[in-house]
């Protein structure tokens, strides 16, 4: 990356390259500590690693608002 007035800038690297390197470093860190990736990330972020909660999936079923091209008053309707 290059430098700007706030420090290192990643603007010339690209999102896909940054994501690939970030994921590789996370997986390497977890492997070096002989932990699963989710336990390693929980400990790295200071979260408890003894109890995990699965994320709740959400589905967008109806779109509305001015961008949708219809007269629905709501922006979107989601099912959790």
């Amino acid at each position: 990356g290059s430098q700007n007035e706030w420090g290192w800038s990643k603007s010339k690297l690209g999102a896909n390259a940054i994501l690939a390197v970030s994921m590789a470093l996370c997986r390497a860190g977890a492997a070096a500590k002989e932990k699963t990736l989710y336990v390693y990330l929980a400990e790295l972020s200071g979260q408890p690693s003894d109890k995990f909660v699965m994320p709740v999936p959400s589905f967008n079923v109806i779109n509305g608002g001015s961008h949708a091209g219809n007269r629905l008053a709501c922006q979107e309707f989601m099912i959790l």
Side-chain angles (χ1 to χ4, degrees), residues 8-11 24-29 31 36 39 42 44 47 50 52 57-59 65-66 80:
W8 289 100
S9 171
K10 300 177 275 190
S11 62
L25 285 173
C26 283
R27 290 175 191 229
T36 59
V39 170
L44 190 64
Q47 300 297 318
D50 57 342
F52 293 98
S58 59
F59 302 95
S66 61
L80 297 177

Side-chain angles (χ1 to χ4, degrees), residues 9 13 28 37 45 49 64 68:
S9 171
L13 296 178
L37 182 59
S45 64
S49 60

Side-chain angles (χ1 to χ4, degrees), residues 31-60:
K33 294 203 176 235
E34 298 179 349
K35 298 185 178 194
T36 59
L37 182 59
Y38 61 93
V39 170
Y40 175 71
L41 290 174
E43 291 176 355
L44 190 64
S45 64
Q47 300 297 318
S49 60
D50 57 342
K51 184 170 108 177
F52 293 98
V53 177
M54 292 293 292
V56 176
S58 59
F59 302 95
N60 189 346

